[in-house]
Amino acid sequence: MERKSGVLMHVSSLYGDYSTGSFGKEAKYFVDFLADCGFSYWQVLPFCMTDEYNSPYKSYSSFSGNLYFVDLPALYEKGLLTQEELNAAKQKSPYLCEFDRLQEERFELLKAASLRVKDKTSIEAFIADSPYLEAFCRFMALREANGGTPWQTWTADTPDDTTLFAWKFIQYEFFTQWQEIRSYANGKGIKLIGDIPIYVALDSADVWSAPDQFKLDKNLNPTHVAGVSPDYFSADGQLWGNPLYDWAAMKKDGYEWWCDRIRHMAAMFDTVRIDHFRAFASYWSIPASSATAKAGKWIKGPGMPFIKAIKAAAGKTEIIAEDLGDITPDVYKLVQDSGFPGMKVFQFGFLSDDNSTHLPHNYPANAVAYTGTHDNNTLLGYLWELDDPTRRKMLAYCGHSGDWKNGCESIIRTMFASHADLVMMPIQDLLGYGCDTRLNTPGRADGNWAYRITKEQLDSIDKARFRKLNRMYHR
């Protein structure tokens, strides 16, 4: 990796007029902002459909595109939406994603647009060229035909044609609009970092279309499920509930499903972060009947043969290994042997008195260093909640004196000066915002993923300050 810097902000957090961020003019404006600041990367969260709690890490398909990101004004310009429909879709608040409203209204609005398509040739050809998207569209249409029930209980096997085409139309618009944003960003010198959730949802096109790739019983339900062991975030661990991969079955065809997933992401992004990378070394397996993750145990993962397969599939696309959490020697070795840059998080550097690898003076060059991730508090929120001795120690480490409330600037400067090739900051940390703008709290189902900026807030960021930092530290 080159010595650069960037910003972490999901598309949903973009400003706009229609209840969530989208692939509209606002995305291009944000690219311009990044370029004006001297940044080189924009990192997003997974683009796939979200679950009932709006998490992008548990989806109906790992290959799908989130319908909420389809830009409505672009459809209006094509004559597929009316001015009245646009007006009716206007948001009530610019500060949060209006998920309840989106879940109730957005698909029906996009379906109405799809019914006005006169020539379906390009859309049908696009979907036919991607078996995974085709499976997703059929899955969603069949899911509706079966009353939204889990696929193991389905009785109807014929989807409604208009619903099926609506999903095809949505995916076509999603991917074509995104490619326009990507081309614009690359033209401005901005690279895009995408995100792959390691696991998929049980109620998904992924498991429905390829159940042999997962650890399921004779009734097609998981025998064991995914999660993480007790850690800093949760004393009980985290019970995610995703079905586990049948790595022995995947090995037989050269991990083709995963290779296709990597190729899919490589066609969309310049760099890809793989979430929970440690599971490729060893993963936490929890009996499906367990109430918490405590009952789990470590199972050996697919290791380097798998890594070699996905590296070949990625081609020139760079991969970032999210190697956070309970990291054991086998994980360290796998990350090192892979050659992928790992992640360092400033907020983890002061959890103990040890000489943590998350302290900036220990960052290797081949690393991506974050002030915090989407799972962390904001930098200001983190400072606020620290005990006073740790806060004083941490600020002294960053050469800060005076009011601790101004300490974020010293932390950011310390990160820029670090040896890590790439430094990334959530947009909230550029703004200096507190815990009320936190994106996600692990282990809590409700109240996450809704944070949005406004254009006025984005414009309030001192671009000259970040241009200076990027020049000073040769980023």
Side-chain angles (χ1 to χ4, degrees):
M1 266 187 165
E2 302 173 276
R3 186 172 173 81
K4 299 293 182 182
S5 65
V7 175
L8 166 61
M9 187 186 72
H10 197 30
V11 171
S12 60
S13 294
L14 273 170
Y15 70 92
D17 296 325
Y18 301 100
S19 300
T20 186
S22 76
F23 297 153
K25 65 182 188 299
E26 298 85 3
K28 292 180 178 179
Y29 190 89
F30 184 66
V31 166
D32 292 341
F33 161 82
L34 294 173
D36 288 345
C37 289
F39 292 121
S40 301
Y41 283 87
W42 175 9
Q43 181 174 337
V44 296
L45 303 186
F47 272 1
C48 49
M49 290 273 293
T50 58
D51 70 0
E52 64 270 30
Y53 300 110
N54 308 304
S55 170
Y57 290 91
K58 198 172 182 182
S59 176
Y60 290 125
S61 167
S62 54
F63 292 85
S64 65
N66 189 335
L67 73 164
Y68 302 154
F69 296 166
V70 173
D71 184 53
L72 299 184
L75 300 185
Y76 168 76
E77 291 171 8
K78 287 184 174 183
L80 300 177
L81 291 177
T82 67
Q83 186 63 59
E84 291 73 21
E85 287 169 328
L86 272 189
N87 293 342
K90 286 284 182 73
Q91 65 203 17
K92 292 177 170 48
S93 169
Y95 300 109
L96 294 171
C97 294
E98 298 175 333
F99 287 128
D100 290 345
R101 186 179 179 200
L102 288 165
Q103 290 172 8
E104 184 178 340
E105 299 177 5
R106 188 54 56 90
F107 175 73
E108 292 303 323
L109 180 60
L110 294 174
K111 185 177 181 180
S114 73
L115 293 171
R116 297 172 183 138
V117 173
K118 295 178 180 178
D119 185 355
K120 300 180 179 181
T121 307
S122 297
I123 297 171
E124 294 287 1
F126 175 79
I127 298 299
D129 195 45
S130 174
Y132 293 101
L133 281 183
E134 192 166 42
F136 164 71
C137 293
R138 181 164 291 276
F139 174 85
M140 294 303 289
L142 283 171
R143 196 170 186 276
E144 181 182 284
N146 285 277
T149 56
W151 59 267
Q152 297 95 327
T153 66
W154 287 355
T155 55
D157 58 5
T158 304
D160 173 73
D161 287 341
T162 58
T163 301
L164 178 59
F165 181 73
W167 281 110
K168 293 179 178 181
F169 165 78
I170 288 166
Q171 295 306 297
Y172 174 82
E173 288 293 336
F174 176 96
F175 287 102
T176 53
Q177 287 186 12
W178 172 245
Q179 287 301 336
E180 183 179 340
I181 299 300
R182 183 185 179 186
S183 295
Y184 184 84
N186 288 169
K188 292 279 186 174
I190 304 298
K191 293 183 178 180
L192 288 308
I193 302 176
D195 196 334
I196 297 182
I198 186 169
Y199 293 119
V200 302
L202 176 62
D203 190 16
S204 69
D206 300 305
V207 184
W208 169 72
S209 62
D212 57 310
Q213 301 283 292
F214 300 87
K215 288 280 192 179
L216 306 178
D217 63 20
K218 63 181 181 180
N219 296 318
L220 301 176
N221 290 311
T223 57
H224 291 72
V225 296
V228 293
S229 60
D231 62 8
Y232 166 76
F233 288 121
S234 173
D236 287 333
Q238 297 174 47
L239 179 61
W240 294 343
N242 310 72
L244 294 173
Y245 298 111
D246 187 337
W247 287 116
M250 287 189 157
K251 184 178 181 179
K252 290 178 181 177
D253 65 4
Y255 306 103
E256 190 61 22
W257 184 90
W258 260 100
C259 290
D260 285 345
R261 194 179 186 191
I262 294 292
R263 283 188 281 263
H264 172 75
M265 292 293 287
M268 297 174 66
F269 299 100
D270 304 292
T271 301
V272 175
R273 187 195 86 124
I274 301 181
D275 188 55
H276 201 59
F277 187 87
R278 65 106 55 244
F280 300 135
S282 52
Y283 57 92
W284 194 245
S285 174
I286 308 162
S289 59
S290 300
T292 74
K294 279 186 173 181
K297 66 177 182 179
W298 292 110
I299 303 292
K300 184 176 175 59
M304 272 307 294
F306 170 80
I307 298 303
K308 289 177 180 177
I310 63 171
K311 283 183 81 168
K316 294 181 179 179
T317 302
E318 294 183 293
I319 292 177
I320 298 169
E322 188 271 281
D323 54 346
L324 306 176
D326 185 5
I327 304 305
T328 48
D330 61 330
V331 183
Y332 280 117
K333 186 176 188 310
L334 186 64
V335 174
Q336 185 177 37
D337 291 349
S338 74
F340 300 150
M343 288 175 57
K344 305 298 176 186
V345 181
F346 180 85
Q347 293 186 32
F348 295 159
F350 298 86
L351 295 179
S352 69
D353 291 328
D354 296 333
N355 189 22
S356 170
T357 60
H358 292 282
L359 289 169
H361 70 269
N362 285 327
Y363 295 169
N366 190 34
V368 184
Y370 294 78
T371 52
T373 73
H374 63 276
D375 283 335
N376 291 106
N377 203 342
T378 67
L379 202 50
L380 181 61
Y382 162 75
L383 279 175
W384 179 272
E385 294 179 5
L386 275 179
D387 62 90
D388 192 55
T390 304
R391 184 165 54 219
R392 286 201 305 268
K393 175 184 175 182
M394 186 267 294
L395 290 175
Y397 177 93
C398 296
H400 180 80
S401 59
D403 189 345
W404 68 263
K405 294 177 183 177
N406 297 320
C408 292
E409 291 191 14
S410 297
I411 295 171
I412 289 172
R413 179 181 290 271
T414 300
M415 295 292 285
F416 267 87
S418 77
H419 198 47
D421 281 340
L422 182 57
V423 169
M424 299 295 298
M425 293 157 290
I427 189 69
Q428 297 96 314
D429 291 351
L430 269 64
L431 287 157
Y433 284 174
C435 63
D436 57 326
T437 64
R438 180 172 182 163
L439 189 63
N440 179 54
T441 301
R444 188 184 75 184
D446 298 312
N448 294 318
W449 314 110
Y451 169 71
R452 293 179 74 194
I453 59 171
T454 66
K455 184 175 183 297
E456 293 72 25
Q457 290 167 348
L458 184 63
D459 288 340
S460 73
I461 294 172
D462 185 353
K463 291 183 281 190
R465 172 190 168 213
F466 290 102
R467 282 198 303 271
K468 181 178 179 181
L469 286 170
N470 277 305
R471 286 197 302 267
M472 181 180 298
Y473 295 107
H474 298 278
R475 294 193 179 277

